[in-house]
């Protein structure tokens, strides 16, 4: 071939740039929507985790001595339980995540705050999962809720003395309008040391308990499962809203799961239709190439290469579009925090697969182009 | 340019070739009926006949773009085409359109020589829509010659051309004949300035040779 395929395709696209641009935009829109949907799903999952965490989680396991009536009033456990229980609880099937805590009301100057020592998140049967409690607190540091920060007069980076011991204020959180605002978070060992309760806990939060879907009395089922492991422990379920949120998230995920394939199929059909129209418009050109001795496979590759190039350009534009506007769009939808970054593997897969899918969409038009009868050129008036 | 084939050699034969097209209302129209044609190197043949007489079908059969329903086509010379509608690729410039005639890599010098011969050097970077009818016709002629054809088939190559442009095209066709190539020209009228070595008449699908011009 005396003229390169790139020249033929590139020049043709530059002449008929409006139709080429349409195709590129369709591909770009499809790619951006797929990437944004994936990013939205991940962001939605994270947001739901945060919501579940913030509303008090699914189950709270309290020490056997706890007076549940009193706990419901002031949310402060009485008594304590061995820290080793958290390890025993890993060997159960009710809760995916377990968070050990030591909670107590303490005075700081004239103010009172809820001191909350929090240990590392544990996962059911040692599974590897993404933690829901965000970044960890450094030993010797505290993170204060908005009101706790206000009443103690604390400032970020400065020391705060609690029960005669100095801690550094790592961060003061934004107001949430919940009991979290009066909490003072620190590491579990710091709290145990401060309260002289080494090796003890008084609250275990069990997250993502899943027995409520088909069980008549979920709380009873959970108690039955956990009783042999933590005998006598108080078990409180607080997950009605969390379940609703999770169901909502699952619905959103299912929607995305079902919406993406038809979306891609629709984009494929449009690409194929545009390629088809392009070939119809260019039958004479194909005939000229065939009449001059070009192979039918070469003529087909002109059409396939055009679609491949459209796919490549469209994928890059869609990728850039998703990266540039993804954060702001998803943040405005989810309404909290910075969404997770797009998975680099997904990005690469999109860039590589889109041109191939576009070329496949143009397969029939390419075959049609290769089958053009060059004799028609001489029959033209 | 190189001589494609030695002179006085039959490079293509159509024997008892018959071709018919479907008739819109049903049945078939016979475009070419039991046609015999032997083309030799350095032939410059003109096929005359009214519209619908089968000239174009004959060129298609000769060029191998159609296979006869009955009869046979013998010989596979390298064929160049000048289409009546020219069919230049609108997104390629003149040089690239001519290069399109090269089916193999190389031959760049031939392209430049053809551009010069056909007076297109100055317009080599222009696209078809920037050319006059005569320049488009000359570009299509150069493209057909670029493949160094042993047989060039031209459908009304000087239709709608002014005498000056027609002369340039005819001179190029004559140049191919001088180098040993064969040319078959289909026309419904006469072509001023063309000195054919063979003259044919097509009438209702039948071909008759009216005489040779030395």
């Amino acid at each position: 071939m005396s003229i390169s395929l790139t020249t033929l395709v590139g020049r043709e696209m530059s002449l008929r740039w409006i139709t080429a641009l349409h195709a590129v935009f369709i591909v770009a829109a499809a790619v951006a929507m797929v990437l944004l949907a994936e990013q939205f799903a991940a962001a939605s999952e994270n947001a739901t985790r945060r919501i579940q965490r913030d509303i008090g989680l699914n189950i709270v396991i309290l020490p056997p001595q706890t007076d549940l009536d009193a706990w419901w009033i002031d949310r402060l456990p009485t008594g304590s339980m061995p820290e080793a229980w958290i390890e025993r609880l890993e060997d159960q099937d009710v809760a995916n995540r377990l968070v050990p805590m030591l909670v107590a009301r303490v005075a700081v100057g004239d103010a009172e705050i809820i001191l909350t020592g929090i240990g590392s998140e544990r996962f059911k049967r040692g599974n590897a999962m993404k933690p829901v409690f965000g970044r960890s607190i450094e030993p010797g540091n505290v993170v204060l809720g908005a009101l706790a920060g206000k009443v103690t007069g604390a400032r970020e980076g400065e020391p705060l003395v609690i029960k005669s011991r100095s801690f550094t204020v790592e961060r003061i959180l934004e107001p949430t309008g919940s009991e979290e605002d009066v909490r003072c978070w620190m590491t579990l060992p710091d709290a145990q040391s401060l309260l002289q309760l080494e090796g003890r806990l008084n609250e275990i939060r069990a997250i993502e308990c899943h027995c409520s879907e088909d069980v008549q009395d979920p709380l009873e089922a959970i108690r039955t499962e956990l009783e042999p492991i933590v005998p006598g422990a108080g078990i409180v379920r607080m997950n009605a809203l969390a379940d609703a949120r999770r169901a909502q998230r699952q619905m959103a995920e299912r929607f995305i799961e079902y919406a993406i394939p038809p979306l891609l199929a629709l984009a494929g059909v449009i690409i194929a239709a545009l390629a088809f129209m392009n070939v119809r418009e260019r039958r004479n050109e194909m005939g000229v190439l065939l009449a001059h001795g070009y192979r039918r496979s070469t003529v087909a590759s002109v059409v396939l290469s055009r679609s491949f190039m459209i796919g490549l350009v469209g994928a890059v534009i869609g990728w850039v579009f998703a990266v540039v506007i993804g954060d702001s769009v998803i943040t405005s939808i989810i309404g909290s925090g910075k969404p997770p970054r797009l998975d680099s593997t997904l990005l690469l897969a999109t860039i590589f697969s889109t041109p191939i899918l576009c070329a496949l969409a143009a397969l029939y038009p390419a075959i049609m182009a290769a089958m053009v009868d060059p004799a028609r050129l001489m029959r033209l008036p | 340019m190189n001589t494609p084939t030695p002179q006085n050699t039959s490079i293509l034969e159509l024997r008892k070739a018959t071709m018919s097209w479907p008739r819109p209302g049903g049945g078939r129209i016979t475009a070419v009926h039991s046609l015999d044609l032997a083309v030799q190197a350095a032939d410059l043949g003109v096929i005359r006949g009214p519209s619908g007489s089968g000239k174009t079908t004959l060129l298609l059969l000769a060029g191998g773009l159609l296979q006869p329903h009955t009869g046979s086509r013998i010989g596979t010379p390298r064929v160049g085409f000048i289409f009546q509608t020219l069919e230049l690729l609108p997104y390629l410039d003149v040089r690239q359109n001519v290069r399109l005639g090269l089916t193999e890599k190389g031959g760049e010098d031939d392209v430049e020589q053809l551009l010069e011969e056909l007076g297109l050097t100055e317009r080599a970077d222009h696209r078809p829509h920037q050319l006059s009818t005569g320049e488009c016709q000359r570009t299509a002629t150069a493209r057909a010659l670029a493949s160094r054809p042993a047989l060039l088939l031209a459908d009304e190559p000087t239709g709608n051309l002014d005498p000056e442009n027609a002369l340039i095209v005819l001179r190029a066709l004559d140049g191919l004949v001088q180098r040993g190539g064969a040319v078959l020209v289909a026309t419904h009228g006469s072509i001023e300035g063309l000195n054919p070595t063979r003259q044919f008449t097509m009438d209702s699908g039948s071909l008759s040779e009216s005489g040779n011009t030395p």
Side-chain angles (χ1 to χ4, degrees), chain A residues 236-254:
Chain A
V236 182
R237 182 171 181 243
M238 303 179 68
N239 63 349
L241 185 52
D243 277 353
R245 294 283 188 184
R246 187 174 55 214
Q248 185 187 28
R249 185 195 78 203
Q250 286 168 346
M251 190 178 70
E253 284 172 356
R254 277 199 301 275

Side-chain angles (χ1 to χ4, degrees), chain B residues 143-168:
Chain B
R143 183 178 66 186
L145 290 168
S147 63
R148 300 181 186 180
L151 172 62
L152 191 144
L153 303 168
D155 200 358
E156 301 286 1
T158 57
N160 304 319
L161 286 189
D162 59 73
E164 190 184 343
N165 274 302
L167 194 63
I168 296 171

Side-chain angles (χ1 to χ4, degrees), chain A residues 49 57 59 61 82-92 94-101 118-134 188-189 192 199-201 203-209:
Chain A
R49 282 204 191 100
L57 312 169
I59 291 171
I61 299 168
E83 192 177 351
W85 280 21
I86 191 79
E87 283 157 21
R88 284 159 59 180
L89 278 166
E90 283 183 44
D91 191 24
Q92 47 75 42
V94 172
N96 277 331
R97 306 158 184 281
L98 299 157
V99 184
M101 287 182 168
I118 183 167
S120 302
E121 210 172 318
R122 307 291 187 93
F123 305 114
K124 184 177 74 179
R125 301 194 186 282
N127 291 337
M129 298 176 82
K130 202 183 285 184
V132 299
F133 270 80
L188 183 62
Q192 287 169 330
R200 307 294 293 179
L201 309 170
E203 192 173 308
I204 296 172
R205 296 192 179 189
I207 306 168
E208 290 182 9
C209 297

